[in-house]
Amino acid sequence: MFRFMNRSFLSMWLLLCVGTLLSAQTVADSLVIMNTPWKVSTLREGMVCKQAGIPSLYGVPQHITFLEIDPSVYKLGIEPSFPKAETSVTARNCGAVAAINGSYFNVQEGTSICYLRQQKAVTDTTTTSEFNLRVTGAVEIRKGKLSLIPWDKQTEVGYKKKKRDVLASGPLLLYNSEVCDFSGCGKGFVETRHPRSAIARTSSGKILLMTVDGRFPGQAEGISIPELAHLLRVLGATEALNLDGGGSSTLWSSEAPDNGVLNKLCDNKKYDNEGERKVANAICVFP
């Protein structure tokens, strides 16, 4: 409907919609997102991939990829890997049709440093340093259905729901259609532009799995936490959670060519889909 709106009316409308966001995310940025000619590919029934290289968003080049998933067709699950493994390997091994990397982990030991529950079994808990730095939310999955919930140490200690898969991460970006407060998180982590991964739900109930690439000057420079929250909100998300980023950021589909990776990985310092990092867990999509 946006192409038929008067431009000044659209700008006013966007001001009202994003008025609670930080001033660094402008109406101009919102218009760029709305007017971006996304490359749209239907990978499977109920699963669409949208991708774009944007010359200037938040003042720098961006490369964004996300899957839009119909939860009536697919279910979600959390799949740990020990020893750690590439997201694509974990996904193939468990029969998933799509996946995104999960939460933070100890790079040397390969173990999760965030709370991980699979039904009755708790295999990992969140470290104090992660709570202090960024963990304010969690993925909660019941019978394959996704919820994104606030999370803190008190919630973790008192969590008794057994018929759930839960993975803590953060920060929580959006909750009840509002941008979350990031003031309790590490300032450098929040404000620095990095490659990022996120999971979100939209007002229409769709699930979004998103990567924003980074560390490629002039091609894809990465995104801050407030910018990521703004991007997802403009795209219709009402709840969203930041996942592990940097070299871990990986979005995979069984329908994609070659190794199935959809985004530009940064660990090999080449602007391509190669060089996956081994991670401790992944959020997987099943028919």
Side-chain angles (χ1 to χ4, degrees):
M1 68 177 186
F2 296 98
R3 69 181 64 183
F4 299 110
M5 286 185 179
N6 176 277
R7 193 173 183 84
S8 62
F9 176 80
L10 177 56
S11 296
M12 185 179 297
W13 179 83
L14 286 167
L15 269 173
L16 292 171
C17 286
V18 302
T20 59
L21 298 177
L22 299 183
S23 59
Q25 293 83 61
T26 65
V27 171
D29 291 318
S30 301
L31 287 168
V32 168
I33 297 165
M34 289 295 195
N35 293 326
T36 290
W38 296 93
K39 179 183 177 182
V40 180
S41 306
T42 300
L43 300 179
R44 302 168 58 97
E45 179 187 358
M47 184 181 297
V48 173
C49 178
K50 297 184 180 182
Q51 191 169 66
I54 303 177
S56 181
L57 177 61
Y58 312 120
V60 296
Q62 303 284 2
H63 187 263
I64 302 165
T65 309
F66 65 96
L67 296 180
E68 185 179 81
I69 297 165
D70 184 344
S72 69
V73 180
Y74 300 94
K75 62 181 181 179
L76 270 65
I78 300 164
E79 295 293 330
S81 299
F82 191 80
K84 59 185 179 178
E86 294 88 349
T87 297
S88 62
V89 172
T90 299
R92 288 191 184 97
N93 286 345
C94 68
V97 295
I100 193 166
N101 65 285
S103 193
Y104 309 105
F105 64 99
N106 183 306
V107 176
Q108 284 73 38
E109 296 179 6
T111 54
S112 173
I113 53 177
C114 295
Y115 183 90
L116 175 59
R117 169 189 285 269
Q118 290 188 293
Q119 300 299 301
K120 297 180 181 181
V122 177
T123 56
D124 297 287
T125 57
T126 308
T127 64
T128 299
S129 60
E130 284 299 308
F131 274 126
N132 291 339
L133 179 62
R134 54 199 170 187
V135 170
T136 61
V139 173
E140 183 184 64
I141 300 172
R142 182 174 184 269
K143 295 182 178 180
K145 302 301 182 184
L146 172 71
S147 296
L148 299 173
I149 59 175
W151 196 261
D152 56 23
K153 190 171 185 63
Q154 184 177 355
T155 303
E156 183 167 312
V157 171
Y159 193 87
K160 302 300 181 185
K161 298 176 182 177
K162 295 181 179 180
K163 295 182 179 181
R164 306 283 193 282
D165 289 350
V166 180
L167 180 64
S169 190
L172 193 62
L173 302 169
L174 302 170
Y175 191 65
N176 290 336
S177 301
E178 298 294 333
V179 177
C180 296
D181 179 9
F182 309 127
S183 61
C185 301
K187 184 176 180 181
F189 177 79
V190 167
E191 295 181 355
T192 304
R193 290 186 173 123
H194 290 293
R196 306 276 187 180
S197 296
I199 184 169
R201 290 179 53 179
T202 70
S203 56
S204 63
K206 297 292 177 64
I207 297 166
L208 306 182
L209 304 181
M210 174 179 285
T211 53
V212 182
D213 300 319
R215 301 178 184 167
F216 295 105
Q219 294 175 294
E221 300 202 10
I223 196 168
S224 72
I225 290 295
E227 290 163 352
L228 181 59
H230 174 264
L231 169 63
L232 285 160
R233 194 177 188 206
V234 174
L235 290 172
T238 56
E239 282 86 33
L241 178 68
N242 185 63
L243 302 170
D244 188 14
S248 298
S249 286
T250 307
L251 184 60
W252 176 87
S253 166
S254 62
E255 305 302 316
D258 301 325
N259 61 0
V261 175
L262 294 163
N263 64 307
K264 305 297 184 184
L265 307 172
C266 69
D267 262 10
N268 66 353
K269 304 186 187 308
K270 298 178 181 179
Y271 195 61
D272 61 20
N273 305 83
E274 302 292 333
E276 265 190 274
R277 177 182 291 181
K278 294 181 179 181
V279 297
N281 47 65
I283 300 171
C284 294
V285 183
F286 304 92

